[in-house]
Amino acid sequence: MPPSSSTIISAAMLAIGDELLSGRTKDKNIGHLADVLTMSGIDLNEVRIVPDEEPAIVEALNALRERYDYVFTSGGIGPTHDDITADAVSVAFGLPCEHDAEAMRLLGDMYRVREMEFTDARKRMARMPRGAKHITNPVSVAPGFIVENVYVMAGVPQVFQAMLDNVMPSLRTGSRILSQAVSSPFGEGDIGTPLSLVQKAHPETSIGSYPKYDGQRFSTEIVVRARDASALDAAAQDVASMIATITREKAARSA
Amino acid sequence: MPPSSSTIISAAMLAIGDELLSGRTKDKNIGHLADVLTMSGIDLNEVRIVPDEEPAIVEALNALRERYDYVFTSGGIGPTHDDITADAVSVAFGLPCEHDAEAMRLLGDMYRVREMEFTDARKRMARMPRGAKHITNPVSVAPGFIVENVYVMAGVPQVFQAMLDNVMPSLRTGSRILSQAVSSPFGEGDIGTPLSLVQKAHPETSIGSYPKYDGQRFSTEIVVRARDASALDAAAQDVASMIATITREKAARSA
């Protein structure tokens, strides 16, 4: 849908899985979702990671879905006993969790074609809260699902990404946050005070400062963000002028 | 401190930073903390990522510090205007946020030696809640700090990791969760039902199943976790037997 000029659409992510908290798996879905939402004009405002435990999932999901326009979950929708996301989402919404007829048909057809047994474990992947809408899974067929503003997707990154691609066109989007980056060869200590003055002079922008350390010294990437392009340009120009001034001053001092 | 045999020590992480939610920066600290805590016998039970906004930081921090033995934060303790973690932590604890005398001395000495100006921005890095203990920063001197059970550390991974190394020896640790991995050439659909029986037979273990997708087909890494070594061995052996049985059955069927 086309964005209206001042709409702000908010989102949260709930990543589900013991393996993310034990360090066994390094999450790749949070950063990907952040990239895709930012490009689309949806603001990712909060992320939580919880274990495969129903009370933890239910509590986090209910907190997030009340507060944000969209909630995206990853993980826990496979065929094994530790995949409890469908049950937990059902509990959160007070809905029965049952084998969805259309999902049973899709999965049954696939396993028939592949001459594989449609085991009870595989049938678990057809379970979802009653009335949930499907999210198509072009990688491995077993669908994700949507209940109200909650989008339940797989944890395997290839499947998560494919499901996300399928839902993005249906989401309401706001005005995109535009950004411009200005590199500073100086550390934050050199630029902190003048940069805070630039921020004060451009209150409709958000100026972030990201230190980098190469093992020897710090430099800084300054990122100006705004929904309005001219406000963005003006602030970014002031940041660039500020860097130029500091460069001149340092040169004069060492001359 | 030495672990007592049945102690469970819990922890949460609060990663702070707009850049993590915009996708600009891909977090590296969560996975590192998860690895280090797991190896040390501390259970990471929850992670939240929030933006550089005081109410969001305060709310998340107060929720987490009530619930878990330790809370580790990353980000927002640098010298620029968007570094507001010290202020937010002070608000959460109802403490004044002020320039710490010892931190001012450490930073002042460093900039004197380097013949660099100790700017107001750099002085911001000496601010912390009154009475906070320092976390030594061997990379760039500006300390992290500890208030009660909250450990406030830098967002730059090299600094976060160095600070974490410095605090780990002082933490209470519980009995480590041991783990054994068993590789399965079969997808979760093949192993889900028998695996749930193995899990039921070994209730004192936690058996996780992690699908992998190589672009063609799924395989599974099965990870058995337990605090007791003999319980772990018994469950892992049953998992391995289960895989062997499925292998034989498949061979017999295709023979």
Side-chain angles (χ1 to χ4, degrees):
Chain A
M1 289 163 222
S4 88
S5 71
S6 63
T7 321
I8 293 177
I9 306 289
S10 64
M13 173 161 183
L14 179 61
I16 298 164
D18 292 348
E19 70 278 19
L20 303 172
L21 295 166
S22 73
R24 209 196 144 271
T25 298
K26 303 293 180 280
D27 171 83
K28 288 179 179 152
N29 297 324
I30 296 171
H32 178 77
L33 180 69
D35 283 337
V36 171
L37 293 183
T38 299
M39 283 188 300
S40 306
I42 295 174
D43 296 358
L44 181 61
N45 292 108
E46 182 171 350
V47 175
R48 297 194 191 183
I49 308 177
V50 297
D52 299 302
E53 291 169 12
E54 188 174 292
I57 300 170
V58 171
E59 188 196 324
L61 188 62
N62 280 337
L64 297 173
R65 72 188 180 91
E66 288 289 314
R67 190 173 292 189
Y68 302 105
D69 293 318
Y70 293 115
V71 179
F72 302 91
T73 82
S74 66
I77 62 168
T80 55
H81 63 276
D82 59 337
D83 290 305
I84 62 164
T85 297
D87 300 273
V89 174
S90 301
V91 170
F93 280 98
L95 291 168
C97 187
E98 45 193 32
H99 290 90
D100 176 88
E102 172 66 6
M104 286 292 283
R105 192 189 61 74
L106 282 169
L107 286 165
D109 285 354
M110 172 184 70
Y111 290 117
R112 198 168 309 119
V113 168
R114 297 194 190 173
E115 299 185 342
M116 290 163 77
E117 193 184 346
F118 193 18
T119 59
D120 284 347
R122 292 191 168 112
K123 286 176 186 163
R124 278 180 67 81
M125 294 189 285
R127 294 172 74 248
M128 56 183 74
R130 183 182 292 171
K133 277 178 264 176
H134 286 203
I135 300 174
T136 304
N137 171 359
V139 177
S140 49
V141 178
F145 57 85
I146 307 168
V147 186
E148 296 182 12
N149 62 337
V150 174
Y151 291 69
V152 176
M153 302 190 286
V156 175
Q158 296 95 325
V159 184
F160 180 88
Q161 291 170 21
M163 287 182 173
L164 184 62
D165 289 345
N166 282 335
V167 300
M168 286 308 297
S170 69
L171 302 181
R172 286 173 297 132
T173 54
S175 45
R176 264 188 62 198
I177 296 180
L178 309 169
S179 69
Q180 280 189 38
V182 182
S183 289
S184 157
F186 311 114
E188 289 192 309
D190 281 316
I191 62 172
T193 307
L195 189 65
S196 72
L197 298 176
V198 176
Q199 172 69 84
K200 272 189 196 129
H202 297 275
E204 71 282 45
T205 70
S206 162
I207 306 181
S209 150
Y210 306 108
K212 282 191 273 193
Y213 183 68
D214 67 3
Q216 295 278 342
R217 54 197 304 273
F218 281 89
S219 60
T220 313
E221 189 87 356
I222 300 165
V223 178
V224 185
R225 301 165 80 227
R227 293 186 202 272
D228 180 77
S230 56
L232 180 74
D233 282 341
Q237 276 175 26
D238 279 4
V239 171
S241 303
M242 180 201 84
I243 303 282
T245 303
I246 297 173
T247 306
R248 274 196 305 275
E249 286 173 357
K250 288 206 176 265
R253 226 175 293 162
S254 61
Chain B
M1 290 166 217
S4 88
S5 70
S6 63
T7 321
I8 293 178
I9 306 290
S10 64
M13 173 161 182
L14 178 62
I16 299 164
D18 292 349
E19 70 278 20
L20 302 171
L21 295 166
S22 72
R24 211 196 142 270
T25 299
K26 304 293 181 280
D27 171 82
K28 288 179 179 152
N29 296 323
I30 296 170
H32 179 77
L33 180 69
D35 283 335
V36 170
L37 293 183
T38 299
M39 284 189 297
S40 306
I42 296 174
D43 296 358
L44 181 61
N45 291 110
E46 182 172 351
V47 175
R48 298 193 191 183
I49 308 177
V50 296
D52 299 304
E53 290 168 13
E54 189 173 291
I57 300 170
V58 171
E59 188 195 325
L61 188 62
N62 280 337
L64 297 173
R65 72 189 180 93
E66 288 289 314
R67 191 172 292 189
Y68 302 105
D69 293 317
Y70 293 114
V71 179
F72 302 90
T73 81
S74 66
I77 61 167
T80 55
H81 63 275
D82 58 337
D83 290 306
I84 61 164
T85 297
D87 300 272
V89 174
S90 301
V91 170
F93 281 98
L95 292 168
C97 188
E98 43 192 35
H99 290 89
D100 176 88
E102 172 65 7
M104 286 293 282
R105 191 189 63 73
L106 282 169
L107 288 164
D109 284 355
M110 173 185 69
Y111 289 117
R112 200 169 306 118
V113 168
R114 297 194 190 173
E115 298 184 341
M116 289 164 77
E117 194 184 348
F118 193 16
T119 58
D120 283 348
R122 293 190 169 115
K123 286 176 185 163
R124 277 180 68 81
M125 294 189 284
R127 294 172 75 247
M128 57 184 74
R130 184 183 291 172
K133 278 178 263 175
H134 287 203
I135 300 174
T136 304
N137 171 357
V139 177
S140 50
V141 178
F145 58 83
I146 307 166
V147 186
E148 296 182 11
N149 62 337
V150 175
Y151 291 69
V152 176
M153 302 189 285
V156 175
Q158 296 96 324
V159 183
F160 180 88
Q161 291 170 19
M163 287 182 173
L164 184 61
D165 289 344
N166 281 334
V167 299
M168 287 308 297
S170 69
L171 301 182
R172 286 173 299 131
T173 54
S175 45
R176 266 186 63 198
I177 295 179
L178 309 169
S179 69
Q180 280 189 38
V182 181
S183 289
S184 157
F186 311 114
E188 289 192 308
D190 282 316
I191 62 171
T193 306
L195 189 65
S196 72
L197 299 176
V198 177
Q199 172 70 83
K200 273 190 196 128
H202 297 274
E204 69 283 45
T205 69
S206 164
I207 305 181
S209 151
Y210 307 108
K212 281 191 275 193
Y213 184 69
D214 67 2
Q216 294 279 344
R217 56 196 304 270
F218 281 88
S219 59
T220 313
E221 189 87 354
I222 300 165
V223 178
V224 186
R225 302 165 80 226
R227 293 186 201 273
D228 179 78
S230 56
L232 179 74
D233 281 340
Q237 276 175 25
D238 279 4
V239 171
S241 303
M242 180 201 85
I243 302 285
T245 303
I246 298 173
T247 307
R248 272 195 306 273
E249 285 173 358
K250 287 204 177 267
R253 224 173 296 162
S254 60

